[in-house]
Amino acid sequence: MVNIRPKTTIQMKMSGVGETHSRSRISVRDVAAIIDEPIERHGTNEGLTPTETLMSSLIGCTNVISNKIAAKMGIEIERMDISLTAEFDRRGTTLAEEIEQPFSNIVMDIEVTTNATEEQIEALRVDLNRFCPVAKVLRGAGITITENWSIRAR
């Protein structure tokens, strides 16, 4: 029996086209996404802003990694609702002045419907902090991420 090990490091490849002064079309694999600005900032409002895209990636990564950890632990997550609030200093995006760290605080309220015990959820939370690459990058940049978990029993 041959044991094939998956690659541990890959190169992510994507491309983007600036279609207007505010709208970009991003392509990766066979998927396209639009990043845009709202109408009040002279965009076409066809997609998330760049900073909204960054924060939404934290929500998505939290969901994906939490579910992987839960599956490995043998617990079921029936539903995960995540609300995120971020303190964002926009002075850099308005070109008023350079801001070293535009995001100072992120709070995620995570509501989970699961069969897990409180102890299992605590173990999941610890592993989430160990393995979510988006959260690790943000925390490594000095951003505080607070996770408020609430559990709904199944």
Side-chain angles (χ1 to χ4, degrees):
M1 180 174 164
V2 176
N3 189 7
I4 299 174
R5 295 179 54 170
K7 292 181 180 180
T8 57
T9 303
I10 63 166
Q11 285 190 359
M12 293 178 64
K13 295 181 180 181
M14 53 181 66
S15 61
V17 175
E19 296 178 326
T20 71
H21 70 284
S22 66
R23 186 179 63 238
S24 301
R25 180 173 304 279
I26 310 301
S27 298
V28 61
R29 301 182 323 273
D30 58 348
V31 179
I34 301 226
I35 298 177
D36 199 1
E37 292 290 328
I39 292 170
E40 62 268 17
R41 290 201 301 265
H42 310 290
T44 57
N45 202 40
E46 292 181 10
L48 301 177
T49 68
T51 52
E52 290 166 343
T53 301
L54 175 64
M55 292 299 110
S56 67
S57 69
L58 177 58
I59 292 172
C61 191
T62 298
N63 176 59
V64 168
I65 300 300
S66 293
N67 276 278
K68 283 184 176 185
I69 295 165
K72 187 174 183 180
M73 293 174 65
I75 61 177
E76 294 179 24
I77 293 179
E78 184 177 309
R79 182 179 172 115
M80 179 177 274
D81 296 308
I82 303 170
S83 299
L84 182 145
T85 304
E87 292 179 20
F88 175 37
D89 187 336
R90 294 188 61 239
R91 288 178 292 169
T93 63
T94 62
L95 308 181
E97 66 181 271
E98 180 182 6
I99 302 300
E100 186 66 31
Q101 183 46 267
F103 292 100
S104 59
N105 190 35
I106 299 169
V107 176
M108 288 194 299
D109 294 319
I110 305 167
E111 189 171 313
V112 181
T113 303
T114 182
N115 64 348
T117 65
E118 290 286 334
E119 294 79 22
Q120 287 172 315
I121 291 298
E122 183 55 34
L124 186 150
R125 290 173 65 176
V126 168
D127 278 353
L128 176 64
N129 287 320
R130 292 177 54 217
F131 295 117
C132 176
V134 175
K136 288 183 81 77
V137 167
L138 293 171
R139 284 188 174 108
I143 300 170
T144 300
I145 302 173
T146 303
E147 298 170 0
N148 300 314
W149 289 70
S150 62
I151 311 307
R152 292 184 302 233
R154 281 191 25 219

